[in-house]
Amino acid sequence: MITHRPIIGITMGDPAGVGPEIIVAALADETVYRNCRPLVLGDPGILEHAVAMAPLRDAREMSLNVIEHPFGVSGRPNTMDLMPISGLKPGSVRPGRPTPNGGKAMVDAVFKAVSLAQEGAIAAMVTCPISKTLMHRAGCRFDGHTELLAHLTGATDYVMMLAGERLRVALVTIHCALADVPRILNSDRVKRTIMVTEAALRCDFGLEAPRLAVAALNPHAGESGCFGSEETTIIAPAVEAARKTGARVDGPLPADTLFYKAASGQYDAVIAMYHDQGLIPLKLLHFSDGVNITLGLPIIRTSVDHGTAYDIAGQGVADPSSLKNAIKMASKLAENRRKNTPQGVSN
């Protein structure tokens, strides 16, 4: 293990989803501890039950170290360092059956993780899946983690990125109807996405001269206006403006060939115009091991690239690969940011 191992806060997510069991499964893998000290923020009763019900013997033998502050993190394999955020009654939350109390515990863990990250008590936060419906019932009227975290940290220029070993994709628009995308797009929004992504690749990913590709909105990049004008009126001006700042960026490029080039190593990230344009190729390559990253925040946040999976919760079959990669990536991003910025967290 390296001498300096940052503390990474992991929020439990919806206790009725797969969050608790993938946390247990991920922390049963000793390699997770090589570069960080994981700290779970959640409910002791729920997590104790998840340990007891784990299908793997190593996971069932995991001990819980309940602490009141990150200073008490042990960072030992086979030990779950846990800060109690809620005290749900035994049996009050069952796998696959979300409850209002579980929703409050879910949201409270996120709020606490953000607070600890802002204080510098943890170097980064990793989020397990939440229910947007439950979040709304708990009083948080946001479309998801990304928007909530931007609100809590005061970030205005933030970007959702999904990443794996072969492909990174940043989104200009996130959760909106496909019919609304042309109306929402504008050159400033495209340029800001390019610049936030480029800055994150330099600072957090440690790339000295990142290469970016910007996807067109329309087939064949509009075919000289035959299939739409957004390429010439919105995207191309944004790309040119980004180039003038020194960014290495190409586009707009036809999306049907662009992702092949990016996955082959020609680009470090793709800027996609809308959700499915970017996430279909990403999940084709990284369905189990993809990581969700919020760029542009003053804190580091990564997440699993899947939902609560109520249909399989509690069955012991949920794949922890995405969570393990999210923890490992958060560790790398935290270390890079610590090296590259004077205000970097040093936990």
Side-chain angles (χ1 to χ4, degrees):
M1 295 184 183
I2 61 174
T3 302
H4 175 84
R5 287 186 297 146
I7 300 174
I8 306 299
I10 306 168
T11 61
M12 181 177 65
D14 184 357
V18 295
E21 61 193 277
I22 62 173
I23 288 175
V24 173
L27 298 189
D29 183 347
E30 292 189 5
T31 65
V32 169
Y33 293 80
R34 289 178 181 172
N35 297 311
C36 74
R37 291 170 286 168
L39 171 62
V40 179
L41 289 79
D43 189 274
I46 295 292
L47 290 159
E48 285 176 359
H49 180 73
V51 168
M53 298 302 294
L56 298 178
R57 179 179 176 181
D58 289 347
R60 291 196 301 273
E61 294 178 350
M62 183 181 301
S63 62
L64 267 63
N65 177 36
V66 180
I67 58 178
E68 296 299 324
H69 192 277
F71 290 147
V73 169
S74 68
R76 294 191 303 267
N78 301 319
T79 300
M80 181 191 298
D81 292 303
L82 169 65
M83 281 188 66
I85 302 301
S86 56
L88 298 170
K89 294 180 180 180
S92 64
V93 178
R94 299 174 61 184
R97 300 184 181 183
T99 66
N101 286 340
K104 184 178 186 305
M106 171 190 80
V107 170
D108 287 348
V110 175
F111 273 71
K112 184 62 176 180
V114 171
S115 176
L116 291 173
Q118 290 175 319
E119 295 168 7
I122 60 176
M125 63 181 288
V126 178
T127 56
C128 283
I130 63 172
S131 161
K132 296 179 180 64
T133 300
L134 280 188
M135 185 169 72
H136 292 169
R137 289 179 182 175
C140 292
R141 305 297 298 183
F142 295 94
D143 291 333
H145 265 124
T146 302
E147 294 81 4
L148 172 59
L149 295 175
H151 170 75
L152 292 176
T153 60
T156 55
D157 293 336
Y158 58 91
V159 171
M160 177 189 285
M161 171 182 278
L162 282 297
E165 287 293 326
R166 295 182 58 190
L167 185 63
R168 301 185 187 101
V169 177
L171 304 178
V172 178
T173 64
I174 305 176
H175 298 120
C176 64
L178 183 58
D180 293 336
V181 171
R183 175 181 57 81
I184 295 173
L185 282 181
N186 59 61
S187 290
D188 182 63
R189 188 164 187 161
V190 175
K191 181 190 174 185
R192 280 189 286 115
T193 304
I194 296 170
M195 301 312 301
V196 169
T197 303
E198 202 259 358
L201 290 174
R202 288 178 180 273
C203 179
D204 296 340
F205 287 83
L207 302 178
E208 293 185 5
R211 301 158 300 167
L212 301 177
V214 179
L217 174 67
N218 298 298
H220 300 187
E223 194 76 51
S224 300
C226 292
F227 306 140
S229 62
E230 287 84 2
E231 284 70 28
T232 56
T233 61
I234 295 175
I235 303 174
V239 171
E240 183 59 30
R243 283 183 185 143
K244 289 180 179 178
T245 70
R248 298 175 63 190
V249 53
D250 294 334
L253 301 174
D256 59 350
T257 55
L258 167 57
F259 289 98
Y260 172 80
K261 295 177 181 178
S264 299
Q266 294 185 39
Y267 296 103
D268 297 303
V270 173
I271 309 298
M273 293 300 110
Y274 58 93
H275 186 279
D276 284 10
Q277 182 187 54
L279 299 199
I280 288 174
L282 188 286
K283 293 191 177 185
L284 181 65
L285 295 176
H286 300 290
F287 185 79
S288 297
D289 62 351
V291 177
N292 186 335
I293 311 160
T294 307
L295 310 181
L297 299 180
I299 63 175
I300 291 172
R301 178 262 178 160
T302 66
S303 178
V304 296
D305 183 23
H306 59 75
T308 53
Y310 292 132
D311 58 325
I312 62 170
Q315 298 178 25
V317 297
D319 188 342
S321 299
S322 182
L323 178 58
K324 287 194 284 188
N325 285 342
I327 297 170
K328 293 174 181 179
M329 184 171 290
S331 304
K332 292 179 182 179
L333 299 182
E335 184 64 13
N336 285 333
R337 185 176 292 192
R338 187 182 71 85
K339 292 178 180 178
N340 294 328
T341 59
Q343 68 272 24
V345 178
S346 58
N347 289 303

